[in-house]
Amino acid sequence: MITKGTKLYSILTGACPKCHQESMYENKNPYVLSDVLKIKETCSKCHTKYRIEPSFFYGSMYVSYAVGIAFAVAAFVISYLFIGTDLLTAFIAIVGTLIVCGPIIMRLSRNIWINIFMHYDKTLVKK
Ligand SMILES: [Zn+2]
């Protein structure tokens, strides 16, 4: 379903947006907090430069806002509507979710941001 060549693959795995052959991140695990935002300079397979311009990834903060809202709404729906907690507990669940999922939200928003500007290129895979 989610195969190489789709934007969703690159967004969910953090793979190079052009060739999908390797991770953009120096450490694949987002919960190693010292490495959460460390992105390689270029892709070792297709030599794509990830930072198109200086401070390129600052723009991902806009995406991060939307992704954060999505996680918060999901936490609220699960705790308040499905489990049936009161509003205070639902609020605590939202805050907890945003803290625990923080590294995932940061990486997801960076992946979405870079995938807005770069597209999969089949011809790069053969090299
Ligand atoms: Zn690549």
mmCIF file of all heavy atoms in Angstrom, residues 22-51:
data_model
loop_
_atom_site.group_PDB
_atom_site.id
_atom_site.type_symbol
_atom_site.label_atom_id
_atom_site.label_comp_id
_atom_site.label_asym_id
_atom_site.label_seq_id
_atom_site.Cartn_x
_atom_site.Cartn_y
_atom_site.Cartn_z
ATOM 1 N N GLU A 22 17.362 6.168 1.107
ATOM 2 C CA GLU A 22 17.945 6.191 2.450
ATOM 3 C C GLU A 22 17.286 7.288 3.287
ATOM 4 O O GLU A 22 16.627 8.169 2.764
ATOM 5 C CB GLU A 22 19.460 6.400 2.385
ATOM 6 C CG GLU A 22 19.852 7.789 1.906
ATOM 7 C CD GLU A 22 21.275 8.142 2.290
ATOM 8 O OE1 GLU A 22 22.122 7.249 2.255
ATOM 9 O OE2 GLU A 22 21.512 9.310 2.622
ATOM 10 N N SER A 23 17.484 7.197 4.610
ATOM 11 C CA SER A 23 16.880 8.164 5.519
ATOM 12 C C SER A 23 17.601 9.505 5.424
ATOM 13 O O SER A 23 18.815 9.550 5.270
ATOM 14 C CB SER A 23 16.944 7.627 6.944
ATOM 15 O OG SER A 23 16.461 8.597 7.837
ATOM 16 N N MET A 24 16.837 10.604 5.541
ATOM 17 C CA MET A 24 17.443 11.932 5.567
ATOM 18 C C MET A 24 18.154 12.189 6.892
ATOM 19 O O MET A 24 19.002 13.048 6.992
ATOM 20 C CB MET A 24 16.361 13.011 5.424
ATOM 21 C CG MET A 24 15.668 13.077 4.103
ATOM 22 S SD MET A 24 14.717 14.591 3.998
ATOM 23 C CE MET A 24 13.439 14.298 5.223
ATOM 24 N N TYR A 25 17.765 11.441 7.916
ATOM 25 C CA TYR A 25 18.228 11.741 9.260
ATOM 26 C C TYR A 25 19.473 10.947 9.611
ATOM 27 O O TYR A 25 19.646 9.811 9.166
ATOM 28 C CB TYR A 25 17.117 11.438 10.260
ATOM 29 C CG TYR A 25 15.919 12.304 10.033
ATOM 30 C CD1 TYR A 25 14.854 11.848 9.282
ATOM 31 C CD2 TYR A 25 15.880 13.598 10.521
ATOM 32 C CE1 TYR A 25 13.762 12.653 9.026
ATOM 33 C CE2 TYR A 25 14.796 14.419 10.270
ATOM 34 C CZ TYR A 25 13.740 13.946 9.531
ATOM 35 O OH TYR A 25 12.671 14.749 9.273
ATOM 36 N N GLU A 26 20.325 11.547 10.430
ATOM 37 C CA GLU A 26 21.539 10.852 10.845
ATOM 38 C C GLU A 26 21.199 9.684 11.751
ATOM 39 O O GLU A 26 21.860 8.660 11.733
ATOM 40 C CB GLU A 26 22.489 11.833 11.530
ATOM 41 C CG GLU A 26 23.090 12.779 10.498
ATOM 42 C CD GLU A 26 24.092 13.744 11.086
ATOM 43 O OE1 GLU A 26 24.415 13.635 12.283
ATOM 44 O OE2 GLU A 26 24.548 14.615 10.329
ATOM 45 N N ASN A 27 20.177 9.842 12.576
ATOM 46 C CA ASN A 27 19.719 8.756 13.438
ATOM 47 C C ASN A 27 18.247 8.512 13.132
ATOM 48 O O ASN A 27 17.423 9.413 13.254
ATOM 49 C CB ASN A 27 19.908 9.144 14.908
ATOM 50 C CG ASN A 27 19.732 7.959 15.813
ATOM 51 O OD1 ASN A 27 18.969 7.037 15.514
ATOM 52 N ND2 ASN A 27 20.434 7.972 16.934
ATOM 53 N N LYS A 28 17.921 7.290 12.730
ATOM 54 C CA LYS A 28 16.544 7.006 12.312
ATOM 55 C C LYS A 28 15.551 7.095 13.464
ATOM 56 O O LYS A 28 14.367 7.325 13.258
ATOM 57 C CB LYS A 28 16.483 5.610 11.691
ATOM 58 C CG LYS A 28 16.707 5.607 10.194
ATOM 59 C CD LYS A 28 16.410 4.243 9.621
ATOM 60 C CE LYS A 28 15.822 4.365 8.238
ATOM 61 N NZ LYS A 28 15.446 3.060 7.690
ATOM 62 N N ASN A 29 16.025 6.863 14.688
ATOM 63 C CA ASN A 29 15.138 6.850 15.853
ATOM 64 C C ASN A 29 14.863 8.282 16.328
ATOM 65 O O ASN A 29 15.778 8.956 16.781
ATOM 66 C CB ASN A 29 15.800 6.038 16.968
ATOM 67 C CG ASN A 29 14.917 5.913 18.188
ATOM 68 O OD1 ASN A 29 13.848 6.519 18.262
ATOM 69 N ND2 ASN A 29 15.363 5.135 19.147
ATOM 70 N N PRO A 30 13.604 8.768 16.233
ATOM 71 C CA PRO A 30 13.325 10.157 16.642
ATOM 72 C C PRO A 30 13.447 10.380 18.146
ATOM 73 O O PRO A 30 13.514 11.515 18.590
ATOM 74 C CB PRO A 30 11.895 10.385 16.158
ATOM 75 C CG PRO A 30 11.303 9.041 16.037
ATOM 76 C CD PRO A 30 12.423 8.095 15.705
ATOM 77 N N TYR A 31 13.462 9.315 18.933
ATOM 78 C CA TYR A 31 13.497 9.494 20.382
ATOM 79 C C TYR A 31 14.912 9.605 20.943
ATOM 80 O O TYR A 31 15.074 9.693 22.153
ATOM 81 C CB TYR A 31 12.697 8.394 21.070
ATOM 82 C CG TYR A 31 11.219 8.680 20.948
ATOM 83 C CD1 TYR A 31 10.464 8.095 19.955
ATOM 84 C CD2 TYR A 31 10.610 9.611 21.793
ATOM 85 C CE1 TYR A 31 9.125 8.402 19.810
ATOM 86 C CE2 TYR A 31 9.273 9.931 21.653
ATOM 87 C CZ TYR A 31 8.537 9.320 20.654
ATOM 88 O OH TYR A 31 7.222 9.651 20.508
ATOM 89 N N VAL A 32 15.924 9.587 20.086
ATOM 90 C CA VAL A 32 17.259 9.989 20.527
ATOM 91 C C VAL A 32 17.271 11.508 20.413
ATOM 92 O O VAL A 32 17.503 12.074 19.359
ATOM 93 C CB VAL A 32 18.356 9.347 19.651
ATOM 94 C CG1 VAL A 32 19.731 9.783 20.121
ATOM 95 C CG2 VAL A 32 18.218 7.842 19.682
ATOM 96 N N LEU A 33 16.940 12.188 21.529
ATOM 97 C CA LEU A 33 16.570 13.606 21.462
ATOM 98 C C LEU A 33 17.698 14.502 20.982
ATOM 99 O O LEU A 33 17.449 15.551 20.396
ATOM 100 C CB LEU A 33 16.051 14.072 22.824
ATOM 101 C CG LEU A 33 14.729 13.423 23.229
ATOM 102 C CD1 LEU A 33 14.274 13.946 24.577
ATOM 103 C CD2 LEU A 33 13.649 13.658 22.185
ATOM 104 N N SER A 34 18.963 14.110 21.203
ATOM 105 C CA SER A 34 20.055 14.973 20.741
ATOM 106 C C SER A 34 20.169 14.947 19.223
ATOM 107 O O SER A 34 20.746 15.854 18.626
ATOM 108 C CB SER A 34 21.372 14.529 21.378
ATOM 109 O OG SER A 34 21.627 13.189 21.031
ATOM 110 N N ASP A 35 19.607 13.920 18.577
ATOM 111 C CA ASP A 35 19.725 13.794 17.120
ATOM 112 C C ASP A 35 18.413 14.054 16.390
ATOM 113 O O ASP A 35 18.347 13.867 15.185
ATOM 114 C CB ASP A 35 20.193 12.369 16.752
ATOM 115 C CG ASP A 35 21.619 12.114 17.194
ATOM 116 O OD1 ASP A 35 22.312 13.099 17.510
ATOM 117 O OD2 ASP A 35 22.020 10.939 17.219
ATOM 118 N N VAL A 36 17.378 14.492 17.116
ATOM 119 C CA VAL A 36 16.045 14.510 16.515
ATOM 120 C C VAL A 36 15.974 15.380 15.264
ATOM 121 O O VAL A 36 15.269 15.063 14.320
ATOM 122 C CB VAL A 36 14.969 14.901 17.553
ATOM 123 C CG1 VAL A 36 15.094 16.356 17.953
ATOM 124 C CG2 VAL A 36 13.593 14.623 17.017
ATOM 125 N N LEU A 37 16.728 16.495 15.221
ATOM 126 C CA LEU A 37 16.635 17.386 14.074
ATOM 127 C C LEU A 37 17.882 17.354 13.196
ATOM 128 O O LEU A 37 18.048 18.210 12.335
ATOM 129 C CB LEU A 37 16.368 18.818 14.552
ATOM 130 C CG LEU A 37 15.012 19.012 15.237
ATOM 131 C CD1 LEU A 37 14.857 20.442 15.712
ATOM 132 C CD2 LEU A 37 13.871 18.634 14.326
ATOM 133 N N LYS A 38 18.771 16.377 13.434
ATOM 134 C CA LYS A 38 20.002 16.339 12.629
ATOM 135 C C LYS A 38 19.728 15.693 11.281
ATOM 136 O O LYS A 38 19.457 14.504 11.189
ATOM 137 C CB LYS A 38 21.092 15.568 13.376
ATOM 138 C CG LYS A 38 21.767 16.416 14.425
ATOM 139 C CD LYS A 38 22.969 15.722 15.024
ATOM 140 C CE LYS A 38 23.505 16.540 16.193
ATOM 141 N NZ LYS A 38 24.223 15.698 17.158
ATOM 142 N N ILE A 39 19.828 16.499 10.246
ATOM 143 C CA ILE A 39 19.591 16.038 8.882
ATOM 144 C C ILE A 39 20.914 16.059 8.136
ATOM 145 O O ILE A 39 21.717 16.976 8.306
ATOM 146 C CB ILE A 39 18.543 16.944 8.189
ATOM 147 C CG1 ILE A 39 17.173 16.653 8.780
ATOM 148 C CG2 ILE A 39 18.540 16.764 6.682
ATOM 149 C CD1 ILE A 39 16.040 17.362 8.111
ATOM 150 N N LYS A 40 21.148 15.015 7.341
ATOM 151 C CA LYS A 40 22.384 14.964 6.548
ATOM 152 C C LYS A 40 22.393 16.123 5.558
ATOM 153 O O LYS A 40 21.354 16.637 5.172
ATOM 154 C CB LYS A 40 22.452 13.642 5.786
ATOM 155 C CG LYS A 40 22.567 12.440 6.687
ATOM 156 C CD LYS A 40 22.414 11.175 5.867
ATOM 157 C CE LYS A 40 22.264 9.972 6.783
ATOM 158 N NZ LYS A 40 21.701 8.806 6.073
ATOM 159 N N GLU A 41 23.598 16.509 5.129
ATOM 160 C CA GLU A 41 23.723 17.592 4.141
ATOM 161 C C GLU A 41 23.140 17.168 2.793
ATOM 162 O O GLU A 41 22.348 17.874 2.193
ATOM 163 C CB GLU A 41 25.194 17.976 3.966
ATOM 164 C CG GLU A 41 25.723 18.911 5.035
ATOM 165 C CD GLU A 41 25.016 20.260 5.036
ATOM 166 O OE1 GLU A 41 24.857 20.846 3.953
ATOM 167 O OE2 GLU A 41 24.619 20.704 6.120
ATOM 168 N N THR A 42 23.580 15.988 2.337
ATOM 169 C CA THR A 42 23.120 15.507 1.034
ATOM 170 C C THR A 42 22.780 14.025 1.143
ATOM 171 O O THR A 42 23.194 13.350 2.077
ATOM 172 C CB THR A 42 24.216 15.653 -0.043
ATOM 173 O OG1 THR A 42 25.370 14.957 0.412
ATOM 174 C CG2 THR A 42 24.554 17.094 -0.320
ATOM 175 N N CYS A 43 22.031 13.544 0.153
ATOM 176 C CA CYS A 43 21.713 12.125 0.071
ATOM 177 C C CYS A 43 22.930 11.405 -0.505
ATOM 178 O O CYS A 43 23.488 11.837 -1.506
ATOM 179 C CB CYS A 43 20.503 11.938 -0.827
ATOM 180 S SG CYS A 43 20.121 10.228 -1.166
ATOM 181 N N SER A 44 23.359 10.318 0.137
ATOM 182 C CA SER A 44 24.561 9.629 -0.358
ATOM 183 C C SER A 44 24.275 8.835 -1.629
ATOM 184 O O SER A 44 25.188 8.472 -2.355
ATOM 185 C CB SER A 44 25.108 8.712 0.728
ATOM 186 O OG SER A 44 24.209 7.648 0.950
ATOM 187 N N LYS A 45 23.006 8.564 -1.921
ATOM 188 C CA LYS A 45 22.668 7.789 -3.128
ATOM 189 C C LYS A 45 22.475 8.686 -4.343
ATOM 190 O O LYS A 45 22.966 8.400 -5.417
ATOM 191 C CB LYS A 45 21.388 6.984 -2.897
ATOM 192 C CG LYS A 45 21.400 6.152 -1.639
ATOM 193 C CD LYS A 45 21.975 4.782 -1.889
ATOM 194 C CE LYS A 45 21.665 3.893 -0.736
ATOM 195 N NZ LYS A 45 22.617 3.114 -0.127
ATOM 196 N N CYS A 46 21.700 9.778 -4.192
ATOM 197 C CA CYS A 46 21.386 10.598 -5.374
ATOM 198 C C CYS A 46 21.975 11.997 -5.274
ATOM 199 O O CYS A 46 21.792 12.806 -6.161
ATOM 200 C CB CYS A 46 19.869 10.678 -5.578
ATOM 201 S SG CYS A 46 19.001 11.612 -4.317
ATOM 202 N N HIS A 47 22.692 12.311 -4.177
ATOM 203 C CA HIS A 47 23.379 13.594 -3.985
ATOM 204 C C HIS A 47 22.436 14.792 -3.967
ATOM 205 O O HIS A 47 22.834 15.902 -4.308
ATOM 206 C CB HIS A 47 24.471 13.786 -5.041
ATOM 207 C CG HIS A 47 25.395 12.602 -5.133
ATOM 208 N ND1 HIS A 47 26.237 12.246 -4.108
ATOM 209 C CD2 HIS A 47 25.554 11.658 -6.095
ATOM 210 C CE1 HIS A 47 26.893 11.146 -4.444
ATOM 211 N NE2 HIS A 47 26.485 10.758 -5.643
ATOM 212 N N THR A 48 21.179 14.565 -3.597
ATOM 213 C CA THR A 48 20.259 15.686 -3.430
ATOM 214 C C THR A 48 20.648 16.478 -2.185
ATOM 215 O O THR A 48 20.895 15.891 -1.137
ATOM 216 C CB THR A 48 18.826 15.160 -3.267
ATOM 217 O OG1 THR A 48 18.455 14.469 -4.444
ATOM 218 C CG2 THR A 48 17.849 16.298 -3.013
ATOM 219 N N LYS A 49 20.683 17.800 -2.311
ATOM 220 C CA LYS A 49 20.946 18.656 -1.156
ATOM 221 C C LYS A 49 19.621 18.874 -0.435
ATOM 222 O O LYS A 49 18.658 19.351 -1.041
ATOM 223 C CB LYS A 49 21.531 19.990 -1.645
ATOM 224 C CG LYS A 49 22.341 20.701 -0.613
ATOM 225 C CD LYS A 49 22.978 21.948 -1.230
ATOM 226 C CE LYS A 49 23.287 22.913 -0.106
ATOM 227 N NZ LYS A 49 23.250 24.301 -0.532
ATOM 228 N N TYR A 50 19.559 18.520 0.849
ATOM 229 C CA TYR A 50 18.278 18.608 1.561
ATOM 230 C C TYR A 50 17.906 20.042 1.913
ATOM 231 O O TYR A 50 16.753 20.423 1.831
ATOM 232 C CB TYR A 50 18.311 17.766 2.833
ATOM 233 C CG TYR A 50 18.416 16.287 2.554
ATOM 234 C CD1 TYR A 50 19.326 15.504 3.227
ATOM 235 C CD2 TYR A 50 17.586 15.691 1.613
ATOM 236 C CE1 TYR A 50 19.425 14.148 2.977
ATOM 237 C CE2 TYR A 50 17.685 14.343 1.339
ATOM 238 C CZ TYR A 50 18.601 13.575 2.034
ATOM 239 O OH TYR A 50 18.693 12.245 1.771
ATOM 240 N N ARG A 51 18.891 20.839 2.348
ATOM 241 C CA ARG A 51 18.599 22.243 2.652
ATOM 242 C C ARG A 51 18.678 23.042 1.358
ATOM 243 O O ARG A 51 19.754 23.441 0.932
ATOM 244 C CB ARG A 51 19.601 22.788 3.661
ATOM 245 C CG ARG A 51 19.358 22.283 5.051
ATOM 246 C CD ARG A 51 20.402 22.795 6.021
ATOM 247 N NE ARG A 51 20.704 21.802 7.032
ATOM 248 C CZ ARG A 51 19.977 21.606 8.122
ATOM 249 N NH1 ARG A 51 18.944 22.367 8.347
ATOM 250 N NH2 ARG A 51 20.286 20.666 8.980
#
